[in-house]
Amino acid sequence: MKEQEIQKLVEKQRSWFFTGATLNIEHRIQALTRLKTCIIKYEKEISDALHSDLKKSSFESYMCEIGLVLSEITYMLKHIRHFARERSVPTPLAQFCSRSYQKPSPYGVVLIMSPWNYPFLLTMDPLIDAIAAGNTVIVKPSAYSPRTSKILLALITQCFEEKEVSVVTGGRAENTYLLQQHFDYIFFTGSQTVGREVMRQASVHLTPVTLELGGKSPCVVERSANLHLAARRIVFGKFLNCGQTCVAPDYIYCDESVKDLLIQELKQQIRRQFGKHPLDKPNYGKIINEKHFNRLTSLIDPAKVVIGGDSNSQSLQIAPTIMDGITFQDPIMQEEIFGPILPIITYKTFDKAINKINSLPHPLALYIFTSNPQAARRIIARCGFGGGCINDTIIHLATSELGFGGFGESGMGAYHGKVGFDTFTHQKSIIDKKTWLDLPMRYQPYRKIYESLLHLFLK
């Protein structure tokens, strides 16, 4: 799409927003209901697109993308009237007689830029929240997942007029054109590098942003952990979508006394969940493209591999791989892995592990496996991270009742459910002052008695 076309699209959506049509709650409910009906209708096509782009099975596509999107719509439809309601707050005596309240109001024209790793979920979830809040939306899906982008375009075009919600496909040129426009809010999910550029461009118009980034999310295994269950859940969370998950455990940080037993359990679980030859499994996914495949294979040190390490450049597949004997200085620890490679690092004391994590950039997620509640509470309280789990991985992002997001290097802002509605909403603070009484104390000429009353009211 050309720059002039994108500019006209933004102007068209802004004109529509200014009509006030999206302020109507019934309008928003109808829009979400149409969207849900459309997703159900095209479920197979969506699943086929995800298989084409990432080789996801229909089970995984529904569990991790389609089903979660439908769940978010259901949640929003159930609560939208409550979320959109004006909320009265107490009025100070000094402002007698008034009504003070907060009025949830949509920002206006929103840009949502989504990634390729969960291309349906990470496009539709923020879109649902933005529509529920009453905004118009331009969606820019990733060029790396073309089949899913195509079905997103077809689905959204069928559900909405261009002035309400529209899709812009393409690559870097379209991204640049979009970021040069004046939006009222920008929601971006992707890498830290691109996130910085989004923030820089948004600053031109002082546009507020939500940045959902990534980082090296630690999975801490404390000495009291149930190692069998820890291994089972770590393998699930790490190798889901071939490790191409922003909240996947990036590395295991375990007590040195349990490392060998943990490795044995991890090996067992990989064989149990993926078989002896994972690359031959029809439900095992692939790396998104050759560039990322080559980057990942270059991070594998054969001398440190304890299981896996196999790859197929034709199918862009890498077997679930665990590497031992890793230090924080190794190449694999210098960047977010975003693939099916799991390094293991050990610590001597739990407090040293906490201090080390805190010396690193804030991760998007942190996982702690332990049977010691005090250890869990200590690391959750003392470490800075976006969100996480105690004795599990990644499932915290699968509930509309919990906001999802990072902070610092892993992003800013959050979404899902009420938090998502609030992300795309500006809370107007209003005082409705009554006219039947007008206290004179604030007006000149000032008097001593009024000053005494001020000290009484304002303290």
Side-chain angles (χ1 to χ4, degrees):
M1 187 177 280
K2 296 179 180 178
E3 185 174 6
Q4 294 81 2
E5 294 175 298
I6 289 174
Q7 187 174 353
K8 287 180 180 178
L9 183 58
V10 174
E11 290 171 356
K12 181 186 288 188
Q13 289 207 352
R14 196 175 304 283
S15 295
W16 171 247
F17 177 76
F18 283 150
T19 68
T22 64
L23 299 178
N24 186 293
I25 302 302
E26 294 303 323
H27 173 88
R28 306 181 202 179
I29 290 172
Q30 290 170 11
L32 292 174
T33 302
R34 283 199 312 273
L35 184 58
K36 185 174 185 178
T37 301
C38 231
I39 292 170
I40 293 170
K41 178 182 177 182
Y42 286 102
E43 181 185 327
K44 186 180 185 305
E45 288 81 357
I46 297 165
S47 184
D48 289 345
L50 292 168
H51 185 270
S52 175
D53 288 331
L54 288 151
K55 205 172 176 287
K56 291 187 181 183
S57 66
S58 59
F59 185 97
E60 188 174 318
S61 292
Y62 194 87
M63 176 178 66
C64 299
E65 302 217 38
I66 301 168
L68 293 180
V69 168
L70 292 173
S71 177
E72 183 76 1
I73 298 178
T74 301
Y75 182 91
M76 204 58 76
L77 286 171
K78 181 178 179 181
H79 296 284
I80 185 171
R81 294 184 194 278
H82 174 68
F83 294 166
R85 194 176 300 154
E86 292 178 1
R87 187 172 70 91
S88 293
V89 299
T91 299
L93 188 58
Q95 296 173 9
F96 184 85
C97 174
S98 309
R99 177 193 170 225
S100 303
Y101 65 96
Q102 291 181 317
K103 181 175 180 59
S105 302
Y107 277 103
V109 184
V110 170
L111 172 63
I112 293 174
M113 305 181 79
S114 57
W116 51 262
N117 59 323
Y118 288 84
F120 189 72
L121 172 71
L122 298 182
T123 302
M124 299 306 290
D125 259 22
L127 174 61
I128 291 160
D129 296 347
I131 291 171
N135 300 277
T136 64
V137 185
I138 293 177
V139 171
K140 174 57 179 68
S142 173
Y144 286 175
S145 47
R147 281 289 301 277
T148 308
S149 295
K150 187 176 180 181
I151 194 68
L152 282 166
L153 175 61
L155 190 150
I156 288 173
T157 302
Q158 183 169 328
C159 285
F160 303 101
E161 293 184 51
E162 201 175 50
K163 62 186 180 183
E164 299 172 301
V165 182
S166 58
V167 178
V168 173
T169 57
R172 290 185 179 179
E174 286 74 15
N175 289 343
T176 300
Y177 299 152
L178 283 165
L179 289 172
Q180 288 171 350
Q181 305 305 311
H182 182 193
F183 287 94
D184 299 298
Y185 202 95
I186 297 175
F187 188 102
F188 170 80
T189 306
S191 69
Q192 293 177 356
T193 300
V194 181
R196 289 187 182 94
E197 178 63 16
V198 170
M199 196 171 184
R200 188 185 71 80
Q201 295 277 15
S203 70
V204 174
H205 298 290
L206 298 178
T207 301
V209 298
T210 290
L211 302 178
E212 297 294 344
L213 309 177
K216 296 190 74 63
S217 298
C219 182
V220 179
V221 180
E222 194 258 345
R223 64 170 63 198
S224 69
N226 179 330
L227 297 182
H228 175 76
L229 190 59
R232 187 182 191 192
R233 293 175 177 177
I234 291 169
V235 166
F236 164 77
K238 174 62 182 182
F239 300 112
L240 185 71
N241 197 30
C242 287
Q244 298 169 119
T245 304
C246 57
V247 292
D250 197 86
Y251 63 99
I252 290 177
Y253 201 18
C254 76
D255 189 294
E256 62 182 10
S257 67
V258 299
K259 184 199 73 169
D260 292 340
L261 287 174
L262 178 62
I263 287 175
Q264 292 306 312
E265 292 288 352
L266 289 166
K267 287 180 179 179
Q268 249 183 15
Q269 284 301 323
I270 287 174
R271 294 189 188 106
R272 181 170 295 175
Q273 295 184 37
F274 299 99
K276 290 184 178 180
H277 305 286
L279 302 187
D280 297 333
K281 297 273 286 186
N283 289 336
Y284 187 66
K286 71 180 185 73
I287 307 305
I288 188 67
N289 57 32
E290 187 176 1
K291 173 187 171 184
H292 285 280
F293 175 86
N294 291 335
R295 179 185 65 83
L296 287 166
T297 53
S298 72
L299 293 175
I300 298 175
D301 182 349
K304 297 184 178 183
V305 170
V306 295
I307 187 171
D310 303 326
S311 62
N312 184 329
S313 59
Q314 299 300 311
S315 61
L316 300 180
Q317 290 179 295
I318 299 173
T321 299
I322 294 177
M323 293 169 59
D324 188 19
I326 302 297
T327 70
F328 283 99
Q329 285 70 49
D330 281 311
I332 199 166
M333 294 303 296
Q334 306 311 307
E335 60 183 273
E336 183 179 5
I337 298 168
F338 222 66
I341 309 168
L342 182 59
I344 298 178
I345 301 178
T346 60
Y347 63 81
K348 291 185 181 296
T349 70
F350 194 62
D351 282 336
K352 284 184 178 179
I354 290 174
N355 292 337
K356 180 61 181 179
I357 291 169
N358 281 336
S359 74
L360 302 171
H362 298 308
L364 182 56
L366 181 145
Y367 307 109
I368 170 70
F369 285 86
T370 180
S371 296
N372 182 344
Q374 289 182 338
R377 284 194 295 268
R378 192 152 84 249
I379 196 169
I380 294 296
R382 288 180 55 188
C383 289
F385 57 96
C389 304
I390 299 170
N391 291 317
D392 211 338
T393 61
I394 77 170
I395 60 169
H396 63 291
L397 62 76
T399 170
S400 296
E401 295 286 356
L402 289 174
F404 172 72
F407 82 106
E409 299 88 337
S410 57
M412 61 179 67
Y415 67 119
H416 287 178
K418 177 64 163 61
V419 175
F421 182 93
D422 290 344
T423 287
F424 293 101
T425 299
H426 168 62
Q427 296 287 348
K428 291 176 179 172
S429 298
I430 310 293
I431 291 183
D432 180 5
K433 191 69 178 282
K434 305 310 176 186
T435 58
W436 54 268
L437 179 67
D438 191 27
L439 297 175
M441 68 180 66
R442 65 178 176 173
Y443 301 112
Q444 294 208 43
Y446 300 136
R447 300 180 183 179
K448 277 290 183 183
I449 187 171
Y450 294 161
E451 187 173 353
S452 298
L453 288 171
L454 279 175
H455 282 268
L456 180 65
F457 290 147
L458 300 177
K459 62 180 181 180

